[in-house]
Amino acid sequence: MANIGFVGLGNMGGPMAANLVKAGHDVLGIDLDPVAAQRMVDAGGRQAGSIPELSQNVDIIVTMLPAGRHVRDVYTGETGILKNARTGTLLIDSSTIDVESARFVAQKADLAGMPMIDAPVSGGVGGAEAGTLTFMVGGPDAAFERAKPILENMGKTIVHAGGAGNGQAAKICNNMILGISMIGVSEAFVLAEKLGLDRQKLFDVSSTASGQCWSLTTYCPVPGPVPTSPANRDYTPGFTSAMMAKDLTLAQAAAQSVGAATPLGAEALALYNLFCNSGQGGLDFSGIVKFLRGNDGIEP
Ligand code: NAD
């Protein structure tokens, strides 16, 4: 059993913290939103009054925050974790943020004598609730080994991807594949519709041929072939288009910072931004098929 601080108890952080409580840990949580903080108390955790108070009273801190600027602020701000936690406190940031911020904060943590890993997740709110998340981890070996049993209370697959920032790198590379492949699969179904090719026939062929991929066989963007995919429930997320746009934005920023050519990633981001700006950011990202179909997304 460990004393764990948890900062950011939102859609993901709330159920992740609840799973730490279930595993028998003493969890001290904090969130700007009192409703989120109360949910944590209802789940059996305790609420901290401030980040300094939380930092001074735990051995491990997990953060699950919206973006890089929140992570920089919570760790390196005047009243932040690095100024207040004890030397040797293990720091785990599970937010999805830019690689540069992840490496910046990890370097500051190292200087403060606190081992840190970046450990973004995939698996969504369902995975957070079920404790089946995948963690992609960047950071030193010793910090990874210390964090692993804690991550196993919240997830099923834990991959050490290398040094600081490599967890974030793995996450955005994977999600760039996903964003691009979902558009590719969606375009194929739209073309099939126009050519009079039945969607189930296209699925039967491509799911066993060279077009096979996760976007087709697990998350098929049209209703029917994969009954569990969001297409069968009017594209209720799942993983929203706004979140896909966020991750593709992070991928483009990272690509620019190292001079990598990612033209399809750039195009995928432009399409998701258009889709979000048309008021569909809350729809599952596989709903991009409606946008590509045109005609208000109405199926022929
Ligand atoms: P969310 O907005 O529901 O939760 C974030 C929480 O952080 C909010 O409750 C907010 O009040 C709190 N917060 C912000 N600043 C704070 C501060 N200074 N101190 C204390 N609390 C603060 O977001 P979420 O869906 O839980 O996502 C969190 C992270 O996980 C994001 O980086 C997101 O990209 C990533 N992620 C989300 C999903 C998903 O399906 N929701 C999947 C994978 C990864």
Side-chain angles (χ1 to χ4, degrees), residues 180-199:
I180 293 169
S181 70
M182 183 54 78
I183 291 168
V185 169
S186 296
E187 284 188 1
F189 276 107
V190 170
L191 176 60
E193 285 166 5
K194 296 247 186 238
L195 294 174
L197 169 62
D198 182 71
R199 64 173 61 137

Side-chain angles (χ1 to χ4, degrees), residues 8 10-12 31-32 64-66 74 96 121 124 171 243 246:
N11 292 324
M12 295 293 289
D31 196 292
L32 297 178
M64 193 54 168
L65 296 161
V74 162
T96 300
V121 301
K171 163 103 189 176
M243 285 200 166
K246 173 193 169 181

Side-chain angles (χ1 to χ4, degrees), residues 98-141:
D98 56 292
V99 176
E100 198 189 328
S101 291
R103 290 186 173 151
F104 171 81
V105 175
Q107 195 188 16
K108 295 280 180 201
D110 189 42
L111 289 172
M114 298 174 204
M116 177 161 194
I117 58 167
D118 50 291
V121 301
S122 76
V125 175
E129 286 169 351
T132 56
L133 293 169
T134 294
F135 283 90
M136 295 148 269
V137 181
D141 291 348

Side-chain angles (χ1 to χ4, degrees), residues 53-65:
E53 182 205 326
L54 178 144
S55 306
Q56 285 153 16
N57 286 289
V58 296
D59 303 316
I60 298 169
I61 298 177
V62 184
T63 49
M64 193 54 168
L65 296 161

Side-chain angles (χ1 to χ4, degrees), residues 6-16 30-33 36 39 51 64-68 70-71 73-74 94-97 120-126 133 171 175 238-240 243 246-247 250:
F6 208 113
V7 185
L9 301 164
N11 292 324
M12 295 293 289
M16 289 166 72
I30 193 166
D31 196 292
L32 297 178
D33 175 2
R39 264 200 308 268
I51 296 220
M64 193 54 168
L65 296 161
H70 306 96
V71 172
D73 185 43
V74 162
S94 281
S95 328
T96 300
I97 64 168
V121 301
S122 76
V125 175
L133 293 169
K171 163 103 189 176
N175 280 14
F239 185 62
T240 64
M243 285 200 166
K246 173 193 169 181
D247 290 359
L250 292 174

Side-chain angles (χ1 to χ4, degrees), residues 152-169:
E152 281 168 347
N153 294 146
M154 301 181 282
K156 204 168 63 174
T157 308
I158 325 287
V159 180
H160 191 191
N166 276 22
Q168 300 294 349

